[in-house]
Amino acid sequence: MRNFIQRALKKLPKLDKAQIHQLLYDLASENERMDVVLDSLSEGVIVSDVNHNLVFYNKFAERLLPFSSQDIYEQRVWDAILDVEISRFVRETLEGQESIVDREFTLESKGVTRTLSCSITPLVRAGHIQGNILHVDDITEKRGREARLRRAESLAALTTLAAGVAHEIKNPLGSIGIHIQLIQKAIKEKTSVDPKIIQPYIEIVNEEVERLNRIVVDFLFAVRPMDTKLEETDLNQVIANLLEFVRYELEEANVTLTEEFDETLPPLMLDEKYVKQAVLNIIKNAISAMPQGGSLVVTTERSGDDAVLRIADSGEGMSDEIMAKIFEPYFTTRDFGSGLGLTLVYKVVKEHMGEIGVSSQEGKGATFRITLPIPQKYQHLLSWEGERQ
């Protein structure tokens, strides 16, 4: 449509009355078509001018948002919106000249609760802000599906945890039972017992009780929500401090360390102690996978709106079958360990709204990739090209 208008404007001085009339008719038809397209969208769209006055909204926005009156054009956008919380959000965002993506609100209307996602993006033309676009999406069903999926995942995880705990508890309980029988046999029908005879049995029982206690503690840690306290933190510095902490252990294991940090990374919202614990678990697994020594490469970089942390080793690697299970509770390929190390890593990453993945081949090492969101404090401008001359 833009090219059509540009061509029409160039020819305007040469047009007669009938041609101008036809041009206006064509423009009206194109404008009507654009209105139909916008009204057919399944998301709400509200457009304001540079003074924050409402100049356009589509039908879906009218259905999603409670408006203050029927005639809301030329009102300030926040005055046109009846909901107090959304109105305040819009006003603070526009007056603060910010760009906000996916801010969620809960609305109740006629006994129905809906969840709305609101985003505000500046509208730019020829390098200058000409207004703003408020995008409103009804994510009620999406959040419902996510909640059901989380419940299903939690149930599956709890089932796996319960099976793992039952398996872990079985061995120490069996050992305790055997040694209690040995103690009973040693003291049976005796008025006095040499402590040296039963002391080894008691020590084993105490060890197994402590083992049971660790199993229960690990189980509770796996199922309880984390008390994360997110603060603006330099990811590079956190990883650098951790690597300095394990440097001696790496040297003793004959592992060569390579560090590459992206200095352009902005601060992230992190709980430093949990991030350190998660990365430490990955590094310890990497050391175990390189019994004869090898190399460990730790890098950070920015990828769009995310920070990416990679931890790559040159160890034994993993098969596809093992990779599919490594984050499951109590799954381990080692003769030692609880099998909860990478479960903790997965949980920490999810608590930070991040993602974790692993790539590996047997005999060719493994690479863990952790993606963490970068706080959105900067405007994302939606370009609106001016007419080309």
Side-chain angles (χ1 to χ4, degrees):
M1 180 177 178
R2 182 185 299 162
N3 291 336
F4 170 77
I5 294 175
Q6 290 174 353
R7 291 195 303 270
L9 289 174
K10 290 180 180 179
K11 296 179 180 180
L12 189 61
K14 302 178 182 179
L15 300 181
D16 57 27
K17 185 177 180 180
Q19 291 172 321
I20 293 176
H21 182 272
Q22 182 61 42
L23 174 61
L24 292 174
Y25 178 82
D26 292 340
L27 286 174
S29 298
E30 289 292 333
N31 188 61
E32 184 178 358
R33 180 182 302 168
M34 185 63 66
D35 285 342
V36 171
V37 170
L38 292 171
D39 284 337
S40 299
L41 294 176
S42 57
E43 299 92 17
V45 176
I46 300 176
V47 181
S48 65
D49 61 19
V50 69
N51 295 316
H52 310 314
N53 295 319
L54 191 149
V55 295
F56 173 82
Y57 64 91
N58 66 353
K59 289 186 179 298
F60 208 80
E62 188 176 14
R63 288 199 292 268
L64 290 178
L65 291 177
F67 286 139
S68 57
S69 64
Q70 294 294 324
D71 185 14
I72 58 175
Y73 283 108
E74 299 305 323
Q75 290 188 38
R76 296 291 177 91
V77 179
W78 53 82
D79 291 333
I81 299 173
L82 193 58
D83 183 83
V84 175
E85 191 176 358
I86 298 179
S87 175
R88 184 188 304 115
F89 157 72
V90 172
R91 180 169 187 168
E92 291 176 353
T93 303
L94 293 182
E95 290 185 339
Q97 297 183 347
E98 296 182 78
S99 177
I100 303 293
V101 178
D102 294 334
R103 177 71 60 83
E104 294 186 10
F105 298 91
T106 301
L107 272 69
E108 291 189 10
S109 177
K110 299 178 181 179
V112 178
T113 301
R114 293 181 299 166
T115 303
L116 303 183
S117 173
C118 298
S119 301
I120 297 180
T121 308
L123 184 62
V124 177
R125 181 180 184 182
H128 299 284
I129 294 179
Q130 300 295 312
N132 291 274
I133 294 179
L134 170 60
H135 177 270
V136 186
D137 193 9
D138 188 344
I139 59 173
T140 307
E141 182 58 31
K142 178 182 177 182
R143 289 292 177 262
R145 287 196 302 268
E146 290 176 350
R148 291 192 293 272
L149 179 60
R150 282 196 300 271
R151 286 195 293 269
E153 289 177 342
S154 296
L155 181 60
L158 187 58
T159 302
T160 304
L161 276 171
V165 170
H167 176 75
E168 292 292 316
I169 286 178
K170 183 178 179 181
N171 292 334
L173 283 179
S175 178
I176 290 172
I178 290 172
H179 286 86
I180 287 178
Q181 290 176 16
L182 292 173
I183 294 173
Q184 289 173 333
K185 184 178 179 180
I187 65 175
K188 187 176 182 180
E189 299 178 356
K190 293 182 180 179
T191 56
S192 63
V193 180
D194 185 354
K196 294 181 180 179
I197 296 176
I198 64 172
Q199 185 63 32
Y201 304 148
I202 294 176
E203 289 177 356
I204 291 176
V205 169
N206 286 333
E207 289 175 1
E208 295 298 340
V209 168
E210 179 60 29
R211 182 178 169 191
L212 286 172
N213 182 64
R214 289 198 302 270
I215 292 171
V216 172
V217 170
D218 287 343
F219 174 78
L220 292 176
F221 179 81
V223 298
R224 282 177 176 170
M226 285 185 173
D227 183 23
T228 53
K229 297 179 181 178
L230 303 182
E231 300 177 347
E232 279 199 351
T233 308
D234 184 346
L235 177 64
N236 291 339
Q237 191 61 52
V238 170
I239 303 303
N241 292 342
L242 177 62
L243 293 178
E244 188 62 34
F245 174 74
V246 299
R247 192 176 299 277
Y248 177 76
E249 186 175 351
L250 292 171
E251 292 174 353
E252 286 293 300
N254 197 27
V255 174
T256 302
L257 174 64
T258 302
E259 309 167 49
E260 296 179 8
F261 297 143
D262 184 348
E263 300 299 333
T264 66
L265 276 185
L268 306 181
M269 297 303 294
L270 305 175
D271 187 312
E272 183 174 343
K273 65 179 183 299
Y274 281 125
V275 171
K276 281 185 174 180
Q277 184 61 57
V279 177
L280 181 61
N281 285 358
I282 296 176
I283 292 175
K284 285 187 175 293
N285 277 5
I287 294 174
S288 298
M290 299 181 286
Q292 307 303 320
S295 64
L296 183 72
V297 180
V298 181
T299 64
T300 63
E301 67 174 349
R302 180 167 185 165
S303 177
D305 292 333
D306 296 316
V308 179
L309 169 64
R310 285 188 179 87
I311 304 169
D313 66 67
S314 61
E316 301 166 348
M318 295 175 280
S319 65
D320 292 341
E321 182 180 359
I322 291 177
M323 276 196 296
K325 298 179 180 180
I326 59 173
F327 297 115
E328 293 181 5
Y330 294 107
F331 175 80
T332 180
T333 59
R334 308 291 176 190
D335 295 331
F336 54 88
S338 66
L340 290 174
L342 289 180
T343 303
L344 164 69
V345 173
Y346 183 86
K347 189 172 181 180
V348 169
V349 172
K350 288 299 181 180
E351 286 288 327
H352 286 78
M353 306 302 291
E355 297 293 337
I356 183 170
V358 59
S359 59
S360 180
Q361 292 183 17
E362 290 184 278
K364 296 185 178 180
T367 299
F368 284 83
R369 185 179 189 272
I370 298 175
T371 303
L372 299 170
I374 294 175
Q376 299 301 302
K377 293 186 176 181
Y378 307 101
Q379 289 189 345
H380 292 266
L381 304 182
L382 181 62
S383 179
W384 179 21
E385 299 282 349
E387 289 83 3
R388 298 177 181 174
Q389 302 299 325

